[in-house]
Structure formats: structure tokens, C-alpha cells
Amino acid sequence: MYDPTVARLTYRALLGRRRAAILFLLPGLLLIIAAAVRVLNGADDQVAADLLGGFALATMVPLIGVIAGTGAIGPEIDDGSIVYLLSKPVKRSTIITTKLIVAIAVTMVFSAVPTLIAGFILNGNGQQVAVAYTVAALVASIAYSALFLLLGTVSRHAVVIGLVYALVWEALFGSLIAGARTLSVQQWALSLAEKVTGEGLISSDVALPTATVLLVAVTLGATWFAGHKLRTLTLAGEE
């Protein structure tokens, strides 16, 4: 289910000069803000939780997920170069799972690692805040990568749709409409973080069992459908 050649090509596409600059921008900004807050405010568990939740998990992780998930396959479909990959003796499911693994790895490195570092800068991991949000970032990276990889497979406007989901649905509607939070990857990830940290610092509107089921279902469902779409694309090209 993993092809090294496909992985190498995907890494090269994701870590090209333009995307790499964007991928480094948000983590760098998080670390700068964390350092400034620590200098100006000192170590404060609640401030650390608010910053990591409001910026790292709510903004940085989904945006990096959009870049990595859609960039893993979308550009190849848009410019037609996917045809050359599909002509190789590689299973379509292997192509999708390989690209998903690469997207997850890139999203985790550029989101979870800076989140952990920022957490230690902010309060030295007091009440396990840094670890809690790192766990949330790791889990969210998997679901976001699968969702946005699917978007990159089914739509030429995957980046726009992904940004609308991340910035409008989760950030805006999720803060205003209680029901929308149930369908939020951010809330699912927060339910795990809530179990790790001190009581009252982190809260989620979704119970942990429900969040776990939804995370697994969305990840597997999006991966399967992306593979199905790729098989359909192959058949269309052959016809």
C-alpha cells in the first residue's frame, strides 16, 4: 500500500519552493507569537491553551492540511500529468494511500511539531497543555489530510473549498452554531486533548467515543472515496 517512487514525487511536489515557503510561514508565526506572549505575559496555562487552541489547532493545522492534502494530488489532475502516473503498474489504491501518508507526514511535521515547541515556550507544558494540543494536532492532521486529499481528487477548486471549510465552517460557524461543532474535525481533536490536560483548560462539544468514531469513519471514508474516484478517472481516460 506504499510506493516509494510515488512518495518521492509527492514529497518533491509538496516541498517545492513556493509551497515550502507557505508551509514554514504559519509555524514560524506561531513560534514568534508564543515567544512574545511568554516574554510579555509570563507562563500562564490558560493563555497557553487559548493561543494553541485559537491559532495552532483552529487555524494553522487546517490550513497546512489544505496545502498538503490538496497539493498531494490536485495539481497532477489539473495539469494532466496524473495520466503518466496512472499508466504505471501501480495499484490505484496504492497511489492514494501513498499520497495520503505523505500528506499526513507533511501536515504533522509542520503543525504538530511547532505546536509542541510553542507549548513548551508558553508555559513549559504546564498541565500537559503542550502535549494535549500536540496530540490534537496529530489526530487532526490525519483527518484533514484525508478530507483534503479527497477534495483534490474530486474538484479543481479543492483549495478554495478547503479554505471555506477550514476558515468559514470550522472557525466561523463552529464558534456561532452549536450543531456545526459536531461536524468539526477541530472539535473531534479537542475531545482527545481534553482527556490529556488539566480539567477546565480545554473543552470539546463532542464526546470522546463519538469523536473517535467520526475521526476513523471520515478518514477511512474519504480515503476509500478518493481511491474510487481515481479508479473512475482511469476508466474515463482509457475510454
Side-chain angles (χ1 to χ4, degrees):
M1 302 300 291
Y2 181 85
D3 185 274
T5 302
V6 175
R8 185 173 64 253
L9 293 174
T10 306
Y11 275 119
R12 185 180 301 173
L14 287 179
L15 300 178
R17 184 175 300 176
R18 181 182 302 177
R19 285 196 179 88
I22 299 174
L23 288 171
F24 277 105
L25 178 62
L26 287 171
L29 182 59
L30 172 63
L31 296 179
I32 291 172
I33 294 174
V37 169
R38 178 61 185 268
V39 170
L40 297 175
N41 195 69
D44 187 300
D45 295 342
Q46 188 60 60
V47 171
D50 291 343
L51 178 58
L52 294 179
F55 184 83
L57 188 62
T59 302
M60 183 181 71
V61 179
L63 289 181
I64 291 177
V66 170
I67 296 170
T70 61
I73 196 169
E76 290 177 299
I77 294 178
D78 290 343
D79 62 20
S81 61
I82 191 69
V83 174
Y84 298 99
L85 182 59
L86 297 178
S87 66
K88 304 300 180 182
V90 181
K91 292 182 179 179
R92 306 307 177 246
S93 58
T94 299
I95 294 174
I96 287 296
T97 53
T98 300
K99 288 183 173 294
L100 176 60
I101 290 170
V102 172
I104 290 173
V106 170
T107 305
M108 285 182 172
V109 168
F110 284 93
S111 61
V113 174
T115 297
L116 180 63
I117 296 173
F120 274 95
I121 292 174
L122 286 165
N123 74 334
N125 194 37
Q127 297 198 58
Q128 298 293 306
V129 170
V131 172
Y133 275 105
T134 300
V135 170
L138 289 170
V139 171
S141 295
I142 298 173
Y144 281 131
S145 296
L147 278 174
F148 297 136
L149 179 68
L150 171 60
L151 281 177
T153 306
V154 302
S155 175
R156 291 181 178 272
H157 307 290
V159 174
V160 175
I161 298 172
L163 290 175
V164 169
Y165 174 81
L167 300 179
V168 178
W169 178 264
E170 294 212 341
L172 181 60
F173 288 171
S175 63
L176 300 176
I177 305 173
R181 297 173 194 144
T182 305
L183 300 177
S184 167
V185 174
Q186 177 188 343
Q187 290 296 322
W188 304 342
L190 279 174
S191 69
L192 277 79
E194 185 179 9
K195 298 299 181 181
V196 176
T197 191
E199 185 176 353
L201 281 176
I202 303 174
S203 62
S204 173
D205 292 331
V206 183
L208 181 57
T210 302
T212 302
V213 170
L214 289 172
L215 282 166
V216 173
V218 166
T219 301
L220 295 180
T223 304
W224 176 85
F225 195 78
H228 173 73
K229 177 62 178 178
L230 199 61
R231 286 192 296 272
T232 303
L233 180 66
T234 304
L235 293 174
E238 290 173 351
E239 290 174 356

